[in-house]
Amino acid sequence: MSTLRFHAIKESLAYKPVTIEEKERRSDLFGKHVFNENTMRQYLTKDAFKGVMNAVQYGKKIDRSIADQVASSMKDWALSKGVTHYTHWFQPLTGATAEKHDAFFETIGNGMAIEKFGGSQLVQQEPDASSFPSGGIRNTFEARGYTAWDPTSPAFIYGTTLCIPTIFVAYTGEALDYKTPLLRALHAVDDAATAICKYFDKNVKKVSSSLGWEQEYFLIDKMLAASRPDISLTGRTLLGHSPAKGQQLDDHYFGAIPGRALNFMRELETECMLLGIPVKTRHNEVAPNQFELAPIYEEANLAVDHNSLLMDIMGRVASRHNFKVLLHEKPFEGINGSGKHNNWSLSTDTGINLLGPGKTPMSNLQFLTFFINTIKAVHEHEALLRAAIASASNDHRLGANEAPPAIISVFIGEQLTKVLEELEGVTKGKLSPQEKTELKLNVVGKIPDVLLDNTDRNRTSPFAFTGNKFEFRAVGSTANCGNPMTILNTIVAKQLKDFKIEVDKLIDKKDLKKDEAIFNVLREYIKSTKNILFEGNGYGKEWEEEAKKRGLSNNKTTPEALKAKVSKETIALFEEMNVMSKIEAEARYEIEVEAYIMHIQIESRVLGDIARNHIVPTAVKYQNILIENVRGLKEIFDKKFNSVSKEQINLIEEISSHIEGINVNVTKMINERKKANAIEDIEKKSLAYCNNVKPLFDDIRYHCDKLELLVDDEIWPLTKYRELLFTR
Ligand code: ADP
Ligand code: MG
């Protein structure tokens, strides 16, 4: 075993797990480090409290004197908890979170100092953010960006820093982060959905979008991970032969959580509790060392913040337990990858889940309205929804027989399919009294019973209805949920807006009753959206063929998929819904395409380096041992030489052919990279990386992995899959 490998494994085995004891109840810990409603009640004056709550619930502006009061109370609260610094916490388009700490500490002359934090520091900051991606919006020399307080996501304490969730925008007003368009989309869906709710209940004033994410991840020993340059630099393995035992036995899924991982989870969950992240579920996933963590769902903006925060904390806590968290969608070939299901719904300020069937026929008609409109939204914008989850790392997962395909479709289950079939038969125009009664009793009235036994859960669908919510399963494990949530809420908002126009028209022009008009529009939607519904096996080849016939897009790679983000229709949609301007949409597209290019470029360099500087020299070393051996055989066996040395000579030849395979392909890859780098147009460049550079990864890997099987284990330089996945 190579020294590096040996030491990594030795250290890993010698590691003594830190046992985490939980002394306090989780419910007591929950939200202790959050400036939440409860804390605000304690610390704020009545006026200030009301000001913040109005901003949170109805988007009202917070005036300056209130901001001063809030800041001062926030500071008092934070100081009481040993906090020294504050930061505006935001989510630039790098995908990570960003923070720049400032101390409360301030000198006031005469050698004296105080702790200070005023409204102006709370409300707005100007980080020197010229190095964050802006897609050309913010020329470094012209306009700067600033961060602005988002009162809908409460401030929290992490370590000894008060973190204030903020949006990040250019001085010219364009969004430079994930949160700004998300907030706009949530606003759009609130407006559109509230208007529809008023058909059913005049008291509804607000509709919120909810999100419950499920985060999958791998835990790998820190030393073992560090021994692999590919994991260190790209978050995944670029080569490595499958171990003899992988996940065939299905012995990891829902199995007993290994002690060391459990200790990590406990500490992570404690941190989450303090930060008000309501984590609830933890379990082993399908692959060895793969796990999942899921919270109770929350309002979407908060849930997005919480997921970003979680991904950050996971890394820090893992490090304390000598683990490295791999959030990558596909860290190991031949082993299941990770996703992040986004469970999504809409609910009213009167406490109704709009995607949950109700108790009366009327509330069920409301449910069907939102249910069918969501299907219609996905039908109209399937390519955009696919684009919302496109990334270099998620490309490994989509369509790879373990995750939803790159084709977007909606699964609704047998029972609801029947309900839609019945509704499709509704008479055009006015309904007879008998028909109304029939609908009430036998179709709309029966939905709650129907859903209770809607247990058929098709795991292969990218967008599935699961009883009281839709589950968007194609989201990647590294994704910032802000991106898919912005797009999903925008397309639903647009659809609801159009629906209302159609219904109102029927009421006005055709003199239909409200529910008649709704039935009429829904019927047409059911007829026109059949193409997006699919109940079969999403992993099958047949579905790909069928989807093609149906005219659904099947964009397997990120460069192909991303184009939908800047199509004429998409830009019109974003502009109409006030979610993004053309400039913002195009800038984002540019950033994402560039991120794709960078990802592939880095992977390509790392792979070339490992193949040439680690694998080839090792193979040559082993080959020399064989050659020495053959020489010896020649000395001892004279006549019998040919027969006794046959296998060794074969082996020498085989090694040579793989060395050649590596060198030829690495050279080819470098040339393709050079050609790609010379391309100005970023779309064409990304396609060159995708179609000319990336495919060579497989060829290079093939030869490296073959050598792993041939070369003496003693000298193999890279920690092997079995060691990464099964050293405990
Ligand atoms: P699974 O998908 O693993 O079978 P569940 O169906 O129990 O699990 O729920 C998965 C996630 O769905 C949980 O994180 C939960 O918080 C979330 N969820 C439940 N109801 C809603 C809702 N109305 N809106 C958004 N998310 C929800
Ligand atoms: Mg799920």
Side-chain angles (χ1 to χ4, degrees), residues 533-553:
L533 298 179
F534 180 63
E535 306 283 302
N537 175 16
Y539 297 173
K541 193 83 203 141
E542 303 77 33
W543 172 227
E544 259 191 69
E545 282 153 22
E546 165 71 18
K548 195 168 175 192
K549 277 191 215 135
R550 294 189 187 187
L552 298 177
S553 56

Side-chain angles (χ1 to χ4, degrees), residues 288-515:
N289 286 351
Q290 190 190 25
F291 307 94
E292 181 182 297
L293 173 83
I296 296 167
Y297 68 93
E298 300 176 281
E299 186 278 320
N301 177 39
L302 190 57
V304 169
D305 279 1
H306 279 168
N307 182 251
S308 298
L309 185 55
L310 173 96
M311 292 196 285
D312 179 32
I313 307 170
M314 277 177 114
R316 304 189 200 201
V317 175
S319 187
R320 295 204 279 273
H321 292 261
N322 262 24
F323 277 130
K324 184 174 172 73
V325 173
L326 303 185
L327 291 171
H328 195 283
E329 282 79 354
K330 193 74 182 171
F332 303 98
E333 197 174 82
I335 304 273
N336 254 46
S338 303
K340 177 152 56 199
H341 294 177
N342 277 203
N343 295 274
W344 169 88
S345 185
L346 293 171
S347 58
T348 66
D349 58 345
T350 54
I352 303 294
N353 174 4
L354 294 167
L355 288 170
K359 293 197 172 62
T360 63
M362 209 50 190
S363 64
N364 280 333
L365 183 55
Q366 176 169 276
F367 157 69
L368 284 170
T369 298
F370 283 93
F371 176 68
I372 295 167
N373 271 290
T374 305
I375 296 172
K376 170 99 167 145
V378 177
H379 178 262
E380 303 304 303
H381 303 283
E382 44 93 16
L384 179 57
L385 207 53
R386 160 67 181 101
I389 45 145
S391 71
S393 49
N394 209 18
D395 280 357
H396 292 282
R397 212 175 128 254
L398 298 179
N401 266 355
E402 58 173 88
I407 308 159
I408 299 290
S409 64
V410 183
F411 172 88
I412 60 170
E414 201 181 319
Q415 314 283 0
L416 281 163
T417 303
K418 280 201 193 115
V419 173
L420 296 196
E421 274 164 12
E422 301 225 27
L423 284 178
E424 201 186 331
V426 169
T427 311
K428 229 177 173 149
K430 284 197 187 301
L431 310 181
S432 68
Q434 292 98 305
E435 192 175 6
K436 275 195 178 176
T437 316
E438 161 68 18
L439 277 171
K440 264 187 196 154
L441 287 181
N442 291 330
V443 184
V444 182
K446 277 211 173 141
I447 290 172
D449 308 343
V450 152
L451 281 195
L452 281 182
D453 36 80
N454 186 25
T455 47
D456 181 6
R457 289 195 172 191
N458 183 333
R459 307 306 290 188
T460 69
S461 175
F463 198 83
F465 185 72
T466 49
N468 58 2
K469 60 188 183 288
F470 278 99
E471 188 168 344
F472 190 14
R473 300 206 184 103
V475 183
S477 48
T478 55
N480 181 307
C481 302
N483 188 3
M485 280 297 113
T486 298
I487 287 177
L488 178 57
N489 285 293
T490 303
I491 63 175
V492 172
K494 161 73 174 153
Q495 180 48 46
L496 291 171
K497 186 180 163 197
D498 290 352
F499 173 76
K500 177 140 196 320
I501 294 170
E502 289 188 62
V503 170
D504 287 350
K505 213 192 263 163
L506 289 184
I507 296 173
D508 287 352
K509 300 246 162 77
K510 299 261 176 294
D511 200 24
L512 296 189
K513 288 255 163 40
K514 194 171 57 191
D515 49 350

Side-chain angles (χ1 to χ4, degrees), residues 650-669:
N650 279 347
L651 205 48
I652 291 168
E653 276 177 359
E654 224 180 306
I655 290 173
S656 278
S657 83
H658 291 306
I659 291 174
E660 188 190 346
I662 291 173
N663 276 333
V664 167
N665 284 302
V666 170
T667 303
K668 240 195 230 167
M669 181 172 75

Side-chain angles (χ1 to χ4, degrees), residues 539-571:
Y539 297 173
K541 193 83 203 141
E542 303 77 33
W543 172 227
E544 259 191 69
E545 282 153 22
E546 165 71 18
K548 195 168 175 192
K549 277 191 215 135
R550 294 189 187 187
L552 298 177
S553 56
N554 183 8
N555 294 319
K556 291 191 176 161
T557 65
T558 294
E560 285 299 329
L562 283 179
K563 285 184 202 164
K565 282 202 161 176
V566 282
S567 70
K568 243 175 53 206
E569 298 77 28
T570 299
I571 288 178

Side-chain angles (χ1 to χ4, degrees), residues 118-190:
S120 57
Q121 286 121 315
L122 166 65
V123 172
Q124 192 169 316
Q125 291 274 300
E126 212 183 278
D128 176 20
S130 50
S131 301
F132 290 113
S134 69
I137 284 179
R138 188 174 29 77
N139 187 310
T140 323
F141 303 103
E142 289 168 5
R144 287 161 302 180
Y146 67 92
T147 52
W149 180 30
D150 165 22
T152 61
S153 180
F156 58 89
I157 294 169
Y158 193 68
T160 52
T161 304
L162 172 68
C163 302
I164 297 145
T166 54
I167 57 167
F168 179 38
V169 285
Y171 261 105
T172 38
E174 286 89 6
L176 297 171
D177 66 350
Y178 282 107
K179 191 193 265 277
T180 309
L182 174 66
L183 289 174
R184 295 178 189 152
L186 295 175
H187 185 69
V189 85
D190 173 13

